[in-house]
């Protein structure tokens, strides 16, 4: 656990109705994530006036969250803490030059996560996200909101069950599975893997999302390896081999972004060897690259992310690559900071032998090649772990032993 002495004393006095700033942060974060999961990327607008109320609630909750984080940061801020000042300046330029919504949201939450038990936060977020997920699917099943369907060229029909696009349903499902892996960590077993396999099969049949299904299948296999690598009483040689392989996953966060960028710039050289889906995504990314170019703080991209999308710029439709989106939309500064932040997070996770989180982080890096969701906090909870990088010295001083992935929900 990551507590300071004062934090621990307040924890013990909860029976007297005393709650810490970290407790309030977790509560407000869960509320915001829950509301956002209901209204963002879903067909909740079909509910008419009730949906409008939800949108207003989301707006109010976001104001409250930001206000609380300001108070929390001021209360915990140390003298001449340059990190907050730097992030405030970068956030300002992000809003000024680009559509900085998601980057600024990430900055808000990691700034406020100082002295917060992230393990506990993820456990609570899993519950809130699962509840929102089930509500949307249930509303679609009751025909209260639209079960959007799309048809591929080969005639295969894809369903979204209340979400705006089948890929969104797949992304939400993958996130829930990933959260569960991080929560269970060393207690993952073959029953978990079996359930994951069933969910993966159903996801593929319903959404026909190739990328998400591949990642889910990878999560099934790797979760078994994670469980094996975590057991100290297994065959030492085999366990060391598994740990060696998992350890090398940390390089994906460095290699994948640059490989993806190189591939986009040279897409015409090997388009014939790619599937139509990957080729079209690569071509679109190249068109965006040619139109906007690279800048320090990015540009406001004309883009859509839904079924009935449009763009004011000729030939530009959508940008399904998180790394190119980050580079063009938020600039080279944020691109480099993101890569460095993820690398230091990977390095810390490897040092702590948290193979569950290492696996999930690696799979999200792969996900970024074909989707723009990994830079959106509601669709990538692992971004919250960047708080470990920002506040590393503070966490190190206030812990006697770091333990990722507690074994209870």
């Amino acid at each position: 656990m990551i507590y300071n002495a004062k934090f621990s004393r307040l924890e013990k006095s909860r029976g007297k109705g005393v709650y810490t700033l970290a407790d309030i942060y977790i509560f407000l974060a869960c509320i915001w994530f829950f509301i956002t999961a209901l209204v963002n990327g879903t067909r909740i607008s079909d509910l008419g006036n009730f949906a409008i109320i939800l949108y207003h609630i989301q707006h109010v909750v976001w104001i409250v969250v930001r206000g609380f984080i300001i108070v929390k940061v001021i209360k915990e801020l140390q003298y001449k803490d340059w990190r907050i000042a730097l992030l405030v300046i970068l956030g300002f330029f992000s809003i000024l030059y680009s559509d900085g919504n998601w980057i600024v949201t990430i900055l808000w939450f990691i700034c406020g996560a100082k002295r917060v038990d992230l393990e506990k936060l993820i456990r609570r977020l899993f519950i809130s996200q699962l509840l929102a997920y089930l509500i949307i699917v249930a509303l679609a099943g009751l025909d209260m909101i639209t079960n959007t369907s799309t048809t591929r060229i080969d005639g295969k029909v894809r369903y979204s069950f209340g979400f705006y696009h089948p890929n969104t349903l797949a992304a939400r499902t993958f996130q829930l599975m990933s959260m569960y892996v991080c929560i269970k960590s060393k207690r993952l077993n073959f029953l978990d893997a079996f359930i994951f396999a069933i969910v993966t099969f159903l996801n593929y049949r319903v959404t026909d999302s190739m990328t998400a299904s591949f990642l889910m299948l990878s999560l099934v296999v790797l979760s078994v390896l994670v469980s094996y690598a975590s057991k100290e009483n297994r065959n030492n040689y085999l366990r060391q081999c598994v740990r060696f392989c998992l350890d090398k996953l940390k390089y994906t966060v460095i290699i994948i972004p640059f490989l993806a960028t190189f591939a986009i710039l040279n897409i015409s050289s090997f388009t014939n060897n790619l599937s139509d889906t990957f080729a079209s995504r690569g071509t679109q990314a190249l068109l965006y690259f040619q139109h906007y170019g690279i800048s320090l703080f990015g540009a406001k991209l004309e883009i859509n992310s839904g079924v009935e999308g449009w763009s004011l710029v000729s030939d530009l439709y959508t940008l399904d690559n998180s790394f190119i989106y980050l580079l063009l939309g938020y600039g080279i500064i944020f691109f480099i900071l993101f890569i460095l932040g993820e690398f230091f997070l990977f390095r810390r996770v490897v040092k702590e032998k948290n193979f569950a989180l290492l696996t999930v982080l690696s799979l999200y890096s792969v996900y970024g090649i074909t989707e723009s969701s990994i830079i959106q906090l509601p669709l990538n909870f692992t971004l919250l772990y960047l708080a470990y990088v920002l506040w590393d010295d503070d966490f190190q001083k206030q812990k006697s032993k770091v333990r990722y992935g507690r074994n209870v929900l």
Side-chain angles (χ1 to χ4, degrees):
M1 281 296 177
I2 303 172
Y3 296 124
N4 60 13
K6 183 178 180 181
F7 189 88
S8 299
R9 289 196 298 271
L10 289 173
E11 278 285 303
K12 294 177 182 178
S13 60
R14 276 189 176 180
K16 301 179 182 179
V18 177
Y19 291 90
T20 66
L21 291 174
D23 293 327
I24 301 174
Y25 173 94
I26 291 174
F27 173 76
L28 290 177
C30 288
I31 296 297
W32 182 83
F33 272 85
F34 174 73
I35 296 295
T36 302
L38 286 179
V39 302
N40 283 21
T42 70
R43 288 292 186 176
I44 202 72
S45 58
D46 293 346
L47 296 180
N49 291 332
F50 182 72
I52 295 175
I53 294 174
L54 286 178
Y55 291 131
H56 287 309
I57 292 176
Q58 182 193 33
H59 182 67
V60 171
V61 169
W62 184 225
I63 293 175
V64 173
V65 168
R66 287 180 292 180
F68 170 76
I69 289 176
I70 291 175
V71 173
K72 185 175 185 295
V73 167
I74 292 175
K75 192 173 182 63
E76 298 175 339
L77 194 63
Q78 297 177 355
Y79 181 62
K80 292 184 179 179
D81 200 325
W82 58 271
R83 292 167 292 190
I84 294 295
L86 176 63
L87 292 181
V88 169
I89 294 173
L90 291 176
F92 170 77
F93 280 108
S94 179
I95 294 175
L96 185 64
Y97 288 96
S98 65
D99 183 16
N101 272 344
W102 292 123
I103 289 295
V104 173
T105 301
I106 297 169
L107 296 182
W108 274 104
F109 275 101
I110 65 173
C111 283
K114 185 177 183 179
R115 300 178 184 175
V116 171
D117 179 3
L118 294 185
E119 300 170 13
K120 179 179 177 181
L121 173 61
I122 299 304
R123 295 197 302 273
R124 299 295 186 267
L125 286 181
F126 174 78
I127 296 173
S128 70
Q129 294 296 282
L130 179 60
L131 181 60
Y133 180 93
L134 294 176
I135 289 175
I136 295 300
V137 172
L139 289 174
L142 295 171
D143 289 328
M144 297 179 67
I145 61 177
T146 305
N147 180 8
T148 305
S149 63
T150 61
T151 305
R152 291 193 185 276
I153 298 177
D154 60 5
K156 186 174 292 186
V157 180
R158 312 169 66 200
Y159 299 97
S160 66
F161 279 94
F163 293 92
Y164 198 69
H165 192 279
N167 287 346
T168 308
L169 171 60
R172 293 286 178 86
T173 306
F174 175 69
Q175 174 161 258
L176 287 172
M177 290 175 62
S178 300
M179 282 182 165
Y180 186 81
V181 167
C182 289
I183 292 169
K184 287 295 290 290
S185 189
K186 296 180 180 180
R187 293 189 63 197
L188 289 168
N189 52 47
F190 285 101
L191 177 60
D192 296 320
F194 178 72
I195 295 174
F196 282 178
I198 294 176
V199 172
T200 301
F201 173 76
L202 293 175
N203 172 79
Y204 178 72
R205 291 301 298 265
V206 172
T207 68
D208 194 37
S209 177
M210 298 298 295
T211 303
S213 298
F214 167 76
L215 293 175
M216 290 179 190
L217 183 61
S218 300
L219 193 60
V220 173
V221 176
L222 291 174
S223 63
V224 175
L225 295 179
V226 164
S227 178
Y228 192 92
S230 302
K231 306 299 183 183
E232 298 295 337
N233 58 342
R234 300 292 177 85
N235 180 279
N236 187 62
Y237 177 74
L238 183 57
R239 178 163 50 83
Q240 291 302 320
C241 289
V242 172
R243 287 192 173 189
F244 175 81
C245 294
L246 292 174
D247 175 75
K248 299 311 173 186
L249 289 176
K250 64 184 178 182
Y251 296 111
T252 58
V253 74
I254 293 294
I255 297 173
I256 287 178
F258 292 102
L259 280 182
T261 304
F262 173 80
I264 294 305
L265 293 177
N266 295 274
I267 188 68
S268 58
S269 301
F270 49 88
T271 298
N272 293 332
N273 297 321
L274 299 175
S275 67
D276 291 339
T277 300
F278 281 95
S280 61
R281 286 177 172 175
T283 302
Q284 276 291 302
L286 179 59
L287 289 174
Y288 272 93
F289 211 106
Q290 293 171 343
H291 183 82
Y292 289 100
I294 300 176
S295 60
L296 286 179
F297 295 101
K300 298 183 185 298
L301 306 182
E302 290 288 347
I303 199 166
N304 82 86
S305 58
V307 179
E308 302 98 357
W310 56 272
S311 171
L312 295 176
V313 181
S314 176
D315 297 326
L316 299 185
Y317 177 70
T318 189
L319 183 52
D320 285 329
N321 185 300
S322 292
F323 306 112
I324 302 298
Y325 194 113
L326 183 65
L327 181 61
L328 303 183
Y330 299 105
I332 193 169
I333 292 179
F334 277 109
F335 179 80
I336 293 175
L337 285 176
F338 177 82
I339 301 302
L340 289 177
E342 289 283 305
F343 175 75
F344 286 119
L345 176 59
F346 268 65
R347 192 172 68 171
R348 175 177 175 135
V349 169
V350 169
K351 181 180 179 181
E352 300 295 340
K353 293 183 172 57
N354 183 3
F355 298 113
L357 181 55
L358 176 64
T359 299
V360 171
L361 287 170
S362 301
L363 292 180
Y364 266 106
S365 294
V366 175
Y367 209 171
I369 298 176
T370 60
E371 298 291 342
S372 60
S373 59
I374 75 161
I375 58 173
Q376 299 178 24
L377 188 57
L379 293 175
N380 182 7
F381 74 100
T382 65
L383 294 171
L384 291 169
Y385 286 102
L386 289 173
Y388 280 140
V389 178
L390 179 65
W391 303 115
D392 181 67
D393 55 341
D394 184 78
F395 284 137
Q396 292 290 349
K397 291 176 184 177
Q398 299 173 46
K399 68 182 179 67
S400 58
K401 182 181 180 181
V402 173
R403 292 181 60 208
Y404 290 92
R406 270 180 75 180
N407 297 331
V408 294
L409 289 176

